[in-house]
Amino acid sequence: AIRDQQPRIALIFDSGRPNFRHSLYSEYKANRPSCPVDLVPQFDIIRQAAYVFGLPILIPAPIQTEGSNETTYEADDVIATIATWAVESGLNVNLISSDKDLMQLVRDDEHGSVHMIDPMTMLRKTEMDVIEKWGVPPSQLGDLLALTGDSSDNIPGVPGIGPKTAALLLQEYGSLENLLSRASEISQKVRREKLVQHKDQARLSRKLVELCATVPPECIEYIMPTTNYHNDNINNHPTFSSGGDNARTMSSSINKSDIVNNLRMEPLNKKRVMNFLTSMGFRDLSRRMQSRFYSNSTDSRAHHLRQQNPLPLLEDTPRKGMGSSSSNMRSQSLVNTSYSLDDIPF
């Protein structure tokens, strides 16, 4: 648990817009199926949860290119950029992700490390873990992924070159470019022919897997919870899609270390947290959080109200517009809640 601390933290979303990689390769991610229908409404719930718990949100901003098409960077590029700024400020970075592309950022350095933490196992991944998994250090992982390709992102790579072969080749030749320039020297015929035939495809793949760690600040939008901190209504959370005043673009004149320093979790708005947990039907968690928030509360009035009027959803009585079953309460959309949260006594 984090008590009386405001850790540096940010939640990064993709924009859903075409990005500069589509300009390089029109088939980039073209084979991906549509997002599952039941997953779509969960994105807004995640944004609401971030707002409720005081987490800054970042997203790539649109940039104008020739032909007036809106293109942008990807979330991975924003992550790479923020991580780079943090390391340059002498900070250690933890990336909560299992995305193999982000393993390119992993580093152990006395001036600042970048580690990954698997959100499922919560295991930490260091440089040694990357080497153990892929056979190359993070600095060569982009070269390896360019050779192997990536079916999930529709990155072509070199047909017939898998991770083990790619690692052996990079161990021998040092880099993708050196390997391709000396491909004619490879003794194994099939491997030599594949590399010679698909060298342009390999170079293209290298550009596609490369993470951009130099996203300009003006190409990053952000929402800071403090912009609406005193609003207890969870349904009034700021969104990017609405184009509201709360979504702002970073200024190019801001010092990068100041940006990193200001990406902090805000103090919990207790009423907003309880409203959120109650609306989601998290009965046991609501009880535990209520106990944690108010066990030592000096607010006798709030304590008295809690005793006289316990949270409605903690009782086995239905709310307006909702059935009495717990499954019905859990499936209720936060955006479409038909009952008022203003009467919760906190």
Side-chain angles (χ1 to χ4, degrees):
I2 299 174
R3 295 180 182 273
D4 302 319
Q5 299 293 321
Q6 286 183 256
R8 294 180 180 87
I9 190 170
L11 186 64
I12 291 87
F13 285 92
D14 255 323
S15 66
R17 307 181 186 96
N19 61 78
F20 73 90
R21 292 176 179 86
H22 290 94
S23 301
L24 295 172
Y25 183 52
S26 61
E27 296 302 306
Y28 178 63
K29 293 187 177 182
N31 60 337
R32 284 198 174 184
S34 301
C35 184
V37 175
D38 57 350
L39 181 61
V40 174
Q42 297 182 45
F43 293 135
D44 193 62
I45 293 176
I46 294 171
R47 291 185 179 92
Q48 289 194 25
Y51 164 66
V52 165
F53 287 95
L55 303 181
I57 299 175
L58 305 179
I59 191 171
I63 53 177
Q64 296 297 323
T65 60
E66 245 181 88
S68 70
N69 291 321
E70 281 194 336
T71 62
T72 187
Y73 296 93
E74 292 187 71
D76 286 359
D77 301 314
V78 175
I79 292 171
T81 299
I82 298 296
T84 299
W85 294 349
V87 169
E88 290 173 351
S89 300
L91 300 174
N92 297 321
V93 179
N94 293 317
L95 306 178
I96 314 299
S97 175
S98 57
D99 188 342
K100 66 179 182 298
D101 294 328
L102 293 177
M103 288 186 178
Q104 298 177 69
L105 301 174
V106 172
R107 57 184 286 179
D108 292 303
D109 192 285
E110 61 181 4
H111 301 298
S113 65
V114 179
H115 291 166
M116 290 183 66
I117 298 178
D118 190 308
M120 298 298 293
T121 64
M122 297 308 291
L123 294 176
R124 182 177 296 273
K125 305 293 183 183
T126 65
E127 277 193 33
M128 291 305 299
D129 294 303
V130 175
I131 294 172
E132 183 178 344
K133 179 176 178 61
W134 296 100
V136 297
S139 59
Q140 289 184 308
L141 185 56
D143 288 347
L144 183 144
L145 296 176
L147 286 168
T148 63
D150 187 344
S151 58
S152 65
D153 288 343
N154 205 32
I155 295 174
V158 177
I161 301 293
K164 291 183 179 180
T165 300
L168 290 173
L169 289 170
L170 290 171
Q171 289 167 13
E172 181 176 355
Y173 291 93
S175 70
L176 175 66
E177 194 54 45
N178 191 44
L179 169 64
L180 295 177
S181 64
R182 298 172 56 188
S184 59
E185 302 174 13
I186 296 175
S187 58
Q188 190 186 76
K189 181 182 177 181
V190 174
R191 191 175 295 173
R192 180 178 66 248
E193 290 177 346
K194 286 182 180 295
L195 287 167
V196 170
Q197 181 181 353
H198 298 285
K199 61 172 56 179
D200 290 340
Q201 192 166 285
R203 290 189 173 102
L204 169 63
S205 298
R206 186 65 182 89
K207 293 178 181 178
L208 295 175
V209 301
E210 179 78 18
L211 297 180
C212 178
T214 57
V215 177
E218 61 268 25
C219 292
I220 302 175
E221 288 183 339
Y222 66 94
I223 287 179
M224 301 296 285
T226 46
T227 58
N228 212 17
Y229 177 75
H230 295 292
N231 188 344
D232 301 323
N233 189 338
I234 61 174
N235 291 328
N236 286 343
H237 71 291
T239 63
F240 289 101
S241 58
S242 66
D245 292 337
N246 293 110
R248 304 179 186 279
T249 302
M250 292 183 179
S251 169
S252 58
S253 62
I254 298 178
N255 186 286
K256 294 172 183 177
S257 63
D258 289 339
I259 294 175
V260 172
N261 191 54
N262 281 290
L263 292 175
R264 291 180 180 272
M265 181 178 181
E266 293 300 323
L268 288 179
N269 180 317
K270 297 176 182 179
K271 180 175 179 180
R272 196 160 66 194
V273 171
M274 293 306 301
N275 286 354
F276 176 77
L277 296 177
T278 302
S279 71
M280 290 295 293
F282 294 147
R283 295 165 57 177
D284 182 63
L285 182 56
S286 294
R287 288 191 184 100
R288 287 189 280 124
M289 292 300 289
Q290 177 176 300
S291 175
R292 171 172 292 187
F293 283 158
Y294 299 102
S295 59
N296 298 315
S297 176
T298 58
D299 188 344
S300 59
R301 177 178 177 275
H303 178 74
H304 175 74
L305 287 171
R306 285 200 311 280
Q307 297 298 102
Q308 299 298 318
N309 301 294
L311 289 176
L313 283 185
L314 302 187
E315 303 300 311
D316 295 324
T317 55
R319 297 286 281 167
K320 292 180 289 183
M322 299 180 68
S324 60
S325 69
S326 60
S327 62
N328 197 15
M329 287 188 287
R330 284 177 174 79
S331 63
Q332 181 73 23
S333 168
L334 290 180
V335 180
N336 297 316
T337 44
S338 56
Y339 55 89
S340 172
L341 296 174
D342 295 333
D343 58 349
I344 296 179
F346 288 102

